[in-house]
Amino acid sequence: MRTSPTPSGRARSLPRAAAALTAGTLAATALTCAPAAHAEPSAASAAEAAAAPTAASSQKAAAARGIRFVDIEGDGGTTLKANVVLPEGATADSARRFPLIVLPTSWATPQIEYLAQAKKLADSGYVVVTYNSRGFWQSGGHVETGGPKDIADASRVIDWSLAHTPADEHKVGMGGVSYGAGISLLAAAHDKRIKAVTALSGWADLIAAIYSGRTQHLQAGAMLGATSELTGRPSPELRQIVKDFLGSHLEKEDEIIAWGRKRSPATYVDRLNDNGAAVLLGNAWGDSIFPPNQYADFYEKLRGPKRLEFRPGDHATGEATGLLGLPNDTWTHAHRWFDRYLKGEHNGIDEEEPVQLKSRSTGSYEGYPSWREVPSARRTLPLDDDQRISTGRDSGANGGLIFLTGILDQFLKLPPMASLPLLPRSRAAVWESERAAEPVRVRGTARVHTTVTSTAADGTFYAYLYDVGPLGTGKLITHAPYTFHDRTPDRPFGVDLELFSTAYDVPAGHRLALVVDTVDPLYAEYNPDGARLAFSSPDQDPSTVSVPVR
């Protein structure tokens, strides 16, 4: 069993997370958003009742467009609220069979989420069934976060669809955004009927996504916990996991990791490969809920037809306009994927380079034969000046805020910025390269190797890679957190840290810079009061930043 850090070290992580989680819990209680586990009319929450006129109007409008609202019996008899959209002229007893696409909703999102895309898919010849994931809104049950009941629900929805619509049992696909993406991947690993998956802004490894560098992603965790309370009924297990995770209860770390592994498609990658589903993975470089690295690692382990797409933005922002029915390349690619692997159309998507990256700087797609072949070289920035910093004090460098940071970068090309000359060197370690003689096209995953000495057994630091202009203003290229526990004070130890993958062009004349500090509002922190960190570069084991370049 692991020991917990000192109370002073934990205290800094708690107020930020507790405030967000408490606000969500209190709001949920005020709105009575925790009805019984059965989706019966008498169990509707006050929030749902207040939205009833709008929902009724939406259902009437949907019905006029050929969209039918149905109840589907999920695992254990739980009622799942669903929508059915059929191709024009098709009926439940049509002799002709059509490919089936099942779309589970995103986290905390009502069942009308995919109606615009469902209608487009139906117009092109698909039977489309979308359903509200269990525990959210009017669906019954509790929020299980991709657990066995969610996986079983997906199979029950397929069963129902084959029995009540003109769906072809040999041409079944699943897809979705965020939570719907994760459930689709998990279902494809457990149900051989699923032949194609489009997993957009999802997760492959839940622990690598929100606990990377052994550091809690506080804002992401608090947001997920609060929104589940506001719009659904979290299971007792989920509530306890959120409490332990945000409360930095290290004695529960093994339990939390086991819970997350059980809900990670990466755990079942061999099953997914054996089942042979064609998998399209799409995500944003700045996804503050599910960072891109865990998707890239998962992609490399897939053996069947596969495609990986990364583009600028934050969580689900790349798909958002498509959910409104507007032109959207993410959804266009998803439709082409289904057309190729469910309809058998030779539309060329399988002949394109399978890794498609849209640069944050140029906004243009670049194709690669594999994720490993994205960088063609590496540029090394030596960290050869020993530096020592105090912990627990903000230097001004940080990774931004969930959602807002990625959106600003996506639409305005404004990542988080910091003035490097003004960063206090007592709080931030700073290393800079020489000015680049030509543009540096960063592509892939940068890696930091260094030697750390701490005055305390536990601690946290954050590494930031910047593009530094002539006036010393740094634009954030990428970053990542790192936490250690149970280290011998004042004894050096090596650290290898992968920063979040990205595609960014550093202009000629600019410098690369690595900044390390110990406070970031995105993450937990385990630095006891008065602790100090030293970063050194021994001759026999030099400290470096390895930057992947094209």
Side-chain angles (χ1 to χ4, degrees):
M1 181 176 292
R2 294 176 175 83
T3 59
S4 295
T6 61
S8 60
R10 289 178 59 188
R12 295 191 188 94
S13 71
L14 289 172
R16 297 191 295 265
L21 185 59
T22 301
T25 303
L26 291 176
T29 302
L31 292 171
T32 61
C33 274
H38 301 287
E40 299 175 356
S42 61
S45 69
E48 291 162 349
T54 301
S57 300
S58 298
Q59 291 191 16
K60 288 180 181 179
R65 296 195 300 271
I67 300 167
R68 184 161 55 101
F69 289 78
V70 300
D71 290 349
I72 297 177
E73 185 176 299
D75 185 58
T78 297
T79 298
L80 304 175
K81 294 295 182 177
N83 317 311
V84 178
V85 192
L86 301 181
E88 186 174 358
T91 62
D93 57 357
S94 295
R96 180 184 173 189
R97 303 284 96 179
F98 299 88
L100 168 66
I101 295 177
V102 175
L103 303 172
T105 55
S106 303
W107 187 268
T109 307
Q111 70 189 91
I112 60 172
E113 176 185 10
Y114 299 115
L115 287 186
Q117 288 300 320
K119 189 65 170 65
K120 289 185 176 184
L121 287 164
D123 288 344
S124 65
Y126 291 97
V127 170
V128 185
V129 178
T130 81
Y131 70 95
N132 227 134
S133 304
R134 70 164 47 226
F136 284 112
W137 295 88
Q138 293 176 317
S139 281
H142 292 87
V143 180
E144 302 288 342
T145 322
K149 293 180 181 179
D150 291 303
I151 297 171
D153 283 346
S155 291
R156 299 292 185 276
V157 172
I158 294 172
D159 293 341
W160 184 95
S161 303
L162 296 177
H164 296 88
T165 74
D168 187 336
E169 64 179 329
H170 302 294
K171 298 178 180 179
V172 178
M174 280 194 71
V177 177
S178 185
Y179 195 41
I183 290 176
S184 295
L185 288 170
L186 289 164
H190 290 81
D191 193 323
K192 293 182 178 181
R193 294 174 297 181
I194 300 169
K195 305 302 181 185
V197 174
T198 58
L200 310 176
S201 292
W203 78 92
D205 186 331
L206 194 56
I207 297 303
I210 63 174
Y211 194 49
S212 64
R214 207 179 174 188
T215 309
Q216 293 97 320
H217 295 209
L218 284 185
Q219 289 185 18
M223 187 281 297
L224 293 171
T227 52
S228 70
E229 296 283 358
L230 284 168
T231 63
R233 298 165 301 281
S235 67
E237 182 184 31
L238 174 58
R239 282 199 172 107
Q240 188 62 49
I241 287 291
V242 171
K243 179 181 178 180
D244 292 339
F245 181 78
L246 295 179
S248 301
H249 296 159
L250 282 181
E251 71 277 8
K252 297 293 186 68
E253 183 182 42
D254 290 340
E255 294 178 30
I256 294 172
I257 291 174
W259 178 89
R261 293 282 181 248
K262 190 175 183 179
R263 288 157 172 80
S264 296
T267 301
Y268 313 102
V269 66
D270 290 339
R271 290 190 192 179
L272 185 58
N273 285 330
D274 290 342
N275 290 349
V279 177
L280 182 152
L281 303 171
N283 206 354
W285 292 120
D287 194 317
S288 49
I289 308 297
F290 304 131
N293 300 46
Q294 44 95 33
Y295 246 18
D297 292 342
F298 181 66
Y299 170 84
E300 288 294 288
K301 297 174 184 176
L302 294 173
R303 296 197 305 266
K306 59 183 181 178
R307 182 178 172 99
L308 177 67
E309 300 180 354
F310 286 140
R311 49 183 61 84
D314 208 308
H315 185 67
T317 62
E319 300 85 20
T321 56
L323 293 174
L324 300 175
L326 300 175
N328 179 281
D329 59 344
T330 304
W331 283 104
T332 297
H333 297 172
H335 286 223
R336 292 177 64 211
W337 193 255
F338 283 135
D339 289 346
R340 177 66 187 92
Y341 291 103
L342 295 183
K343 289 183 178 179
E345 293 184 1
H346 295 283
N347 55 20
I349 194 167
D350 56 327
E351 298 173 0
E352 298 169 359
E353 296 282 17
V355 175
Q356 294 288 323
L357 311 182
K358 182 181 280 189
S359 167
R360 291 165 52 199
S361 302
T362 66
S364 300
Y365 279 104
E366 303 166 355
Y368 300 88
S370 72
W371 175 250
R372 292 193 184 101
E373 295 176 78
V374 169
S376 55
R378 285 191 169 267
R379 179 166 295 194
T380 300
L381 169 61
L383 310 178
D384 48 10
D385 296 327
D386 293 357
Q387 301 198 35
R388 189 178 181 89
I389 59 175
S390 301
T391 66
R393 299 179 182 180
D394 193 359
S395 72
N398 63 70
L401 298 171
I402 62 170
F403 300 132
L404 179 61
T405 294
I407 291 172
L408 289 175
D409 187 44
Q410 177 181 358
F411 294 106
L412 301 177
K413 291 184 171 56
L414 287 177
M417 292 186 286
S419 174
L420 267 66
L422 298 181
L423 293 180
R425 295 317 195 251
S426 61
R427 303 179 184 181
V430 180
W431 297 268
E432 292 189 74
S433 71
E434 299 296 326
R435 296 187 187 278
E438 56 187 21
V440 179
R441 294 185 290 179
V442 180
R443 298 291 186 275
T445 307
R447 296 181 175 89
V448 176
H449 174 73
T450 189
T451 296
V452 179
T453 305
S454 173
T455 60
D458 306 291
T460 303
F461 64 86
Y462 315 98
Y464 309 93
L465 185 65
Y466 283 101
D467 159 22
V468 184
L471 299 180
T473 299
K475 293 184 177 181
L476 187 63
I477 300 173
T478 182
H479 76 287
Y482 186 86
T483 293
F484 57 89
H485 295 294
D486 303 326
R487 291 288 180 177
T488 302
D490 299 317
R491 178 178 295 179
F493 59 93
V495 169
D496 289 289
L497 175 61
E498 284 193 349
L499 307 187
F500 299 139
S501 305
T502 194
Y504 180 97
D505 294 350
V506 178
H510 286 209
R511 303 175 187 267
L512 288 169
L514 184 77
V515 174
V516 174
D517 78 354
T518 61
V519 174
D520 192 308
L522 283 171
Y523 307 105
E525 175 202 340
Y526 288 89
N527 296 302
D529 289 338
R532 294 175 65 84
L533 296 178
F535 300 89
S536 59
S537 182
D539 291 340
Q540 67 276 16
D541 187 22
S543 296
T544 61
V545 181
S546 175
V547 180
V549 296
R550 182 186 183 194

